Amino acid sequence: DGMEPASVAFRYRKFALDAKTTLVCRTELHGLVKKTQYMTAFALNEYTPPNAPFSWRDKIDNQRGAVLANELKNNSFKLAKWTAQSLLAGADQMKIGFCSRVAPK
């Protein structure tokens, strides 16, 4: 066919805030899991500041919990935004991936 699938699906949701106020919003979904569950997917990019206590790349295999805790601390607003987006979209799963670069800046 020559057509590419869409990268995201938009889902329009309607919320009744009170008796007179209704909120309609457009949300994004990134995929389906097992053809029944909606999913959103996000990525945390590798960044190691010069005075970091440890390198992201060195610890990702051995100490995933420490890397995740550090990313939760440093990117709390980003993760809260992603969580709110997933909740508003009605996603059943939210997946977060760690992206590494060949030569980090």
Side-chain angles (χ1 to χ4, degrees):
D1 227 0
M3 297 180 66
E4 287 188 32
S7 58
V8 297
F10 293 113
R11 185 178 189 193
Y12 293 87
R13 305 281 312 269
K14 186 176 182 179
F15 300 97
L17 299 179
D18 60 28
K20 293 183 179 183
T21 309
T22 303
L23 172 72
V24 177
C25 62
R26 183 176 81 169
T27 60
E28 288 184 3
L29 291 166
H30 301 128
L32 280 173
V33 178
K34 298 180 184 176
K35 297 186 181 183
T36 59
Q37 296 181 334
Y38 294 120
M39 178 202 79
T40 55
F42 303 100
L44 289 167
N45 295 316
E46 176 181 12
Y47 174 70
T48 306
N51 58 354
F54 61 87
S55 172
W56 201 84
R57 186 179 299 258
D58 296 337
K59 303 292 182 187
I60 192 74
D61 291 330
N62 300 337
Q63 297 178 348
R64 282 178 278 183
V67 173
L68 180 61
N70 191 42
E71 291 299 313
L72 286 170
K73 181 182 70 154
N74 293 336
N75 296 303
S76 60
F77 181 79
K78 184 185 291 188
L79 290 161
K81 182 179 98 170
W82 291 347
T83 303
Q85 287 176 330
S86 297
L87 289 171
L88 283 174
D92 299 306
Q93 293 183 19
M94 180 177 83
K95 297 191 180 224
I96 300 172
F98 293 97
C99 294
S100 181
R101 299 178 180 177
V102 174
K105 294 181 179 183

